Amino acid sequence: MSLNWQTIGTRLGVFKVNCKGLACLLVFTVSICGSAPGMCPTACICASDIVSCTNKNLSRVPGNLYKCMKRLDLSYNRIGFLEPEWVPALFEKLNTLIVNHNSISSIITGSFSTTPNLKYLDLSSNSLKTLSSPVFQELRVLEVLLLYNNHITQIESSAFGGLYKLQKLYLSYNLLSHFPLDLYTGKHKLTDLVLLDISFNHIQLMPIQRLSSVPAKHLSGIYLHGNPFYCDCVLYSMLTFWYQRHFSSVVDFRNEYTCLLRSDPRGYNKLPLLHDNFLNCSESTVNSSFQAFGFIHDAQVGDRLIVHCDSRISDAGTHFVWVSPDNRLLEPDRETNNFKVFRNGSLEITDAQLEDSGLYSCIAINKKRLLNETIEVRINVSNFTVNRSHAHEAFNTAFTTLAACVASIVLVLLYLYLTPCPCQCKTKRRKRKLNQSSAHSSILNSTPPQELPADEKKASTGKRVVFLEPVHEPKHSQNGKVKLFPNDNIIAESILKTTRTKSDSDSVNSVFSDTPFMPST
């Protein structure tokens, strides 16, 4: 067997070329990753630019790691708190750091100074209780922050200061009792935040009026399910509006939205919040919430009205088109009667008229992202002068009715408590006194009383007045006077049997006269 040295030489030449390429690769790797001792710690598993040190009972980051690693997993260890020295070296290429399921209870400012280019940070399932002054300020390019399943009860407004690129924040399964509104409206608001998961906390009330000023691209990513909300019509209206806008935070978790009655704060009976309007919320309450969120706009005849297209697609290159209630297409840079559409999607009605009322549709189209969204807005135009005249007429009618009622009550009180004819009352009193005086005179005098006038006689006809005086038994000091009426019962019976119809004076004289009256034997 003979050897072809030319072939061998050629192969050796090829081999030499390959060796040179490998040497260049090693030099390139060393220049990038540095000359750190130990390519991979014994407690970790390394795969290219990924280092996994999970469940190794570590309390701090190993010091001999790749300088060129991009992903570091330290989950399921014993790391108790984060301080500036917890990462021993600068890792400029690290963009993903996972430190979940540890015992982290506090974070000190400057803890992430050695990892400034993180885009994904997972601190979930730890023991964090509060987030104080900006502890993440070094992470200026961070996009995703996971803090769920901790014990967080309070978040200061500046806790997330400096996170200008943060897009997703997960705070579910904590102990928060207030909605972190400063993330959207405060001094340190996160302008790029499109997802906030604050589900399964202890929030009972929502700042709905202030949330109405937050753009739809932020509202659509707020997840609130699993919180012990109080049953409230305003909250129901807001969630119904989100559901009609097809926000995934409500559509995907509709059955997880429940509420508690204020009489049952412990939550023994959780009621579904988005099913069949069991709260019996009035239409005016629902419409007021829709109006606050820009779904309903009111205007008067002749007003200038600007309606914004609050779309979740607000990127550069998005095209907006409006459709009027009579199906007219309204596009930018094309004025139609008194309508004008701007490039940012806003619709202007220069001179509102009654016929402009109706349901308008805004269509946002992004051809690059192959996305589109339709938003419906209701515009109500009314005539102020007509409404004011109707209101004036209603006020006059109500005032007239009230005045009539007051006058009726006054007349009734006058009739009940004031004597209408005081003269007649005085005449009746005088007649009563005269009758009493005549009766007394008939008893004391034996002569008949004077005749009364004819009208007074007529008034006294049919009246019987009887005066009976007790008859005492004779005593020894009475000089032998004899008792004329030994039997009182006989006298009373004879008087009661009298049926004469005379005047009062005649009846009195017949009984009390000087002629002896002898009882029948």
Side-chain angles (χ1 to χ4, degrees):
M1 182 176 180
S2 62
L3 294 174
N4 190 346
W5 292 102
Q6 185 176 0
T7 305
I8 294 174
T10 305
R11 291 179 180 176
L12 288 175
V14 173
F15 179 75
K16 289 179 181 179
V17 172
N18 290 338
C19 288
K20 288 181 180 180
L22 182 59
C24 293
L25 180 60
L26 291 174
V27 171
F28 178 73
T29 304
V30 172
S31 64
I32 293 178
C33 298
S35 57
M39 298 304 292
C40 183
T42 56
C44 303
I45 299 175
C46 303
S48 183
D49 54 358
I50 300 175
V51 178
S52 176
C53 304
T54 61
N55 200 12
K56 299 299 180 180
N57 203 26
L58 299 175
S59 59
R60 58 187 301 115
V61 179
N64 52 350
L65 292 174
Y66 285 125
K67 292 292 182 65
C68 60
M69 65 177 177
K70 295 182 178 180
R71 178 185 176 93
L72 176 60
D73 189 351
L74 296 170
S75 58
Y76 294 95
N77 281 287
R78 291 189 306 109
I79 301 174
F81 59 93
L82 303 185
E83 56 182 355
E85 293 81 17
W86 82 286
V87 179
L90 179 63
F91 297 95
E92 294 183 346
K93 295 188 177 297
L94 185 65
N95 57 33
T96 302
L97 178 59
I98 302 173
V99 205
N100 59 41
H101 291 92
N102 278 267
S103 303
I104 302 173
S105 58
S106 63
I107 303 175
I108 301 175
T109 304
S111 299
F112 301 100
S113 57
T114 55
T115 57
N117 296 317
L118 284 179
K119 293 184 177 181
Y120 183 97
L121 176 60
D122 186 358
L123 295 172
S124 62
S125 300
N126 279 283
S127 302
L128 293 171
K129 295 181 179 180
T130 59
L131 295 177
S132 56
S133 57
V135 292
F136 305 103
Q137 59 184 352
E138 298 90 2
L139 305 176
R140 297 184 178 275
V141 295
L142 187 66
E143 298 177 354
V144 181
L145 177 58
L146 283 69
L147 293 169
Y148 64 85
N149 195 25
N150 275 273
H151 307 291
I152 301 173
T153 59
Q154 183 180 1
I155 299 176
E156 294 188 7
S157 58
S158 60
F160 301 104
L163 300 181
Y164 302 110
K165 299 294 184 180
L166 189 64
Q167 300 176 10
K168 298 181 180 180
L169 177 60
Y170 295 85
L171 290 168
S172 58
Y173 291 97
N174 278 284
L175 305 176
L176 294 172
S177 58
H178 294 87
F179 181 81
L181 189 63
D182 293 330
L183 297 176
Y184 298 99
T185 60
K187 179 181 178 181
H188 303 282
K189 64 180 180 181
L190 308 177
T191 56
D192 290 342
L193 188 64
V194 295
L195 188 147
L196 173 63
D197 185 0
I198 199 169
S199 60
F200 294 99
N201 275 270
H202 294 174
I203 301 174
Q204 294 181 324
L205 299 173
M206 287 290 295
I208 298 175
Q209 294 298 328
R210 298 186 64 184
L211 272 178
S212 61
S213 61
V214 178
K217 69 175 183 179
H218 299 302
L219 292 178
S220 61
I222 298 179
Y223 290 78
L224 299 170
H225 58 278
N227 281 284
F229 293 118
Y230 283 129
C231 295
D232 182 69
C233 284
V234 180
L235 177 64
Y236 166 80
S237 303
M238 183 190 75
L239 295 177
T240 302
F241 175 70
W242 290 4
Y243 186 82
Q244 292 182 0
R245 290 288 306 271
H246 303 287
F247 290 174
S248 58
S249 57
V250 180
V251 175
D252 296 343
F253 298 94
R254 182 182 180 186
N255 297 328
E256 298 291 337
Y257 284 91
T258 58
C259 66
L260 308 174
L261 297 175
R262 293 184 182 271
S263 58
D264 182 24
R266 295 189 177 182
Y268 293 116
N269 296 316
K270 292 184 178 181
L271 304 176
L273 188 56
L274 292 175
H275 287 276
D276 301 330
N277 190 15
F278 75 97
L279 295 177
N280 294 326
C281 299
S282 63
E283 185 178 356
S284 60
T285 303
V286 176
N287 288 340
S288 62
S289 297
F290 284 6
Q291 187 174 6
F293 281 94
F295 181 74
I296 298 177
H297 294 266
D298 295 327
Q300 300 295 331
V301 173
D303 288 351
R304 176 177 176 267
L305 181 64
I306 295 181
V307 181
H308 300 286
C309 184
D310 192 12
S311 172
R312 289 172 287 177
I313 309 173
S314 58
D315 303 342
T318 302
H319 183 69
F320 297 94
V321 176
W322 284 82
V323 179
S324 64
D326 55 356
N327 293 324
R328 284 185 297 170
L329 191 64
L330 308 175
E331 296 181 290
D333 301 330
R334 288 181 57 186
E335 293 191 15
T336 305
N337 294 337
N338 59 337
F339 295 98
K340 182 180 180 181
V341 179
F342 298 94
R343 292 193 173 273
N344 62 353
S346 299
L347 172 66
E348 178 187 11
I349 304 178
T350 56
D351 186 15
Q353 300 297 324
L354 293 175
E355 56 270 17
D356 295 333
S357 300
L359 188 66
Y360 291 77
S361 298
C362 174
I363 304 174
I365 304 171
N366 193 309
K367 296 181 180 179
K368 293 181 179 180
R369 298 175 57 188
L370 300 178
L371 295 175
N372 66 80
E373 182 184 14
T374 302
I375 301 108
E376 293 182 342
V377 178
R378 179 170 295 279
I379 297 177
N380 300 322
V381 182
S382 58
N383 195 338
F384 178 73
T385 57
V386 174
N387 294 338
R388 184 172 61 180
S389 63
H390 290 333
H392 185 67
E393 293 176 0
F395 174 77
N396 289 338
T397 304
F399 181 77
T400 304
T401 305
L402 180 61
C405 292
V406 172
S408 302
I409 293 173
V410 171
L411 292 176
V412 170
L413 293 176
L414 289 174
Y415 179 77
L416 291 176
Y417 293 100
L418 296 180
T419 305
C421 297
C423 298
Q424 295 181 4
C425 295
K426 291 181 179 179
T427 305
K428 290 182 179 179
R429 291 196 199 100
R430 190 180 300 109
K431 290 179 181 178
R432 194 179 296 113
K433 290 181 179 179
L434 290 174
N435 291 336
Q436 292 178 358
S437 62
S438 63
H440 283 291
S441 63
S442 66
I443 294 173
L444 299 175
N445 301 325
S446 59
T447 60
Q450 298 179 359
E451 284 289 302
L452 295 173
D455 56 346
E456 293 184 11
K457 268 188 176 181
K458 187 177 180 180
S460 62
T461 304
K463 296 182 181 179
R464 298 172 184 266
V465 180
V466 179
F467 295 90
L468 298 178
E469 293 182 358
V471 179
H472 299 283
E473 293 292 334
K475 295 183 181 179
H476 296 286
S477 61
Q478 291 179 347
N479 298 324
K481 289 185 179 179
V482 182
K483 178 180 178 183
L484 295 178
F485 307 106
N487 194 351
D488 295 340
N489 295 331
I490 295 174
I491 297 173
E493 185 178 356
S494 63
I495 294 172
L496 293 173
K497 288 181 179 180
T498 304
T499 58
R500 292 176 61 188
T501 306
K502 290 184 178 182
S503 64
D504 294 342
S505 59
D506 294 338
S507 63
V508 171
N509 290 332
S510 66
V511 176
F512 299 95
S513 61
D514 292 340
T515 307
F517 179 83
M518 298 301 294
S520 61
T521 56

